[in-house]
Amino acid sequence: VAAGRELIAAPPGHVTQERGHGRINRWSTWVTGTDAGIGLPYAARLAVIRRDVADLAGQPLSKQVVIVATSRATLSAAEICGHARRHWGIENLEHRARDTVWREDDQQAYLGNGPRAMAALRNLALGLFSIHGITQIKQTVQAIGRRPMRAAPLIT
């Protein structure tokens, strides 16, 4: 823990900032080598990425800190930040439909196999939409909800 504090006390190795969607995002990235004492035998590089979010007036809204361990010893702070941001972008695209169409984060089913079964059905629906080139997911789900037989051509 002390080593992490010492790392972020120094200036970051990479900083990038973007404005969009009514906010300012700033990513600061620090990197360092590692030793065997951390208990991750293949980790060669550690990084800390801090994402600060502010509104357009500069008022802080949130802060997120991520610790990254990688076996790639030659990655720079900019490269690690780029890899992480691309990964988050994919995650956001994949989960957007789940959050906006099915409101998966608001579900109350936590017992037994119910949550896993519902996630499998959502994955099936998203996969079928993708196979058939359907990009208007919300409209398609609503149309099938009104007339369930509309789903039959997607399955056959």
Side-chain angles (χ1 to χ4, degrees):
V1 175
R5 288 188 191 129
E6 292 168 8
L7 178 63
I8 62 173
H14 176 73
V15 176
T16 186
Q17 185 170 303
E18 291 179 357
R19 295 173 67 99
H21 304 287
R23 60 185 179 260
I24 301 168
N25 290 298
R26 177 185 168 107
W27 291 269
S28 303
T29 307
W30 295 264
V31 296
T32 187
T34 183
D35 59 29
I38 66 168
L40 299 171
Y42 299 105
R45 199 103 165 118
L46 294 176
V48 174
I49 302 173
R50 185 180 73 202
R51 175 181 174 225
D52 296 293
V53 180
D55 63 19
L56 293 176
Q59 289 296 112
L61 298 174
S62 68
K63 182 183 298 187
Q64 178 183 22
V65 177
V66 176
I67 298 172
V68 178
T70 180
S71 61
R72 298 181 62 191
T74 59
L75 288 179
S76 69
E79 291 169 325
I80 289 175
C81 183
H83 284 297
R85 291 189 57 211
R86 282 189 297 277
H87 173 75
W88 290 330
I90 292 167
E91 284 286 313
N92 289 338
L93 286 175
E94 180 182 324
H95 290 284
R96 184 176 183 278
R98 295 172 179 279
D99 294 339
T100 59
V101 176
W102 291 296
R103 301 184 56 90
E104 191 172 63
D105 291 342
D106 296 334
Q107 298 300 312
Q108 298 293 317
Y110 297 111
L111 298 175
N113 291 323
R116 187 172 292 144
M118 289 306 299
L121 291 170
R122 290 182 193 109
N123 286 339
L124 173 64
L126 289 171
L128 289 170
F129 294 161
S130 177
I131 288 170
H132 291 284
I134 296 170
T135 57
Q136 301 294 322
I137 295 172
K138 183 174 184 178
Q139 292 86 344
T140 303
V141 168
Q142 290 171 341
I144 290 171
R146 288 189 296 271
R147 292 187 49 208
M149 287 308 295
R150 290 179 175 160
L154 300 176
I155 298 169
T156 58

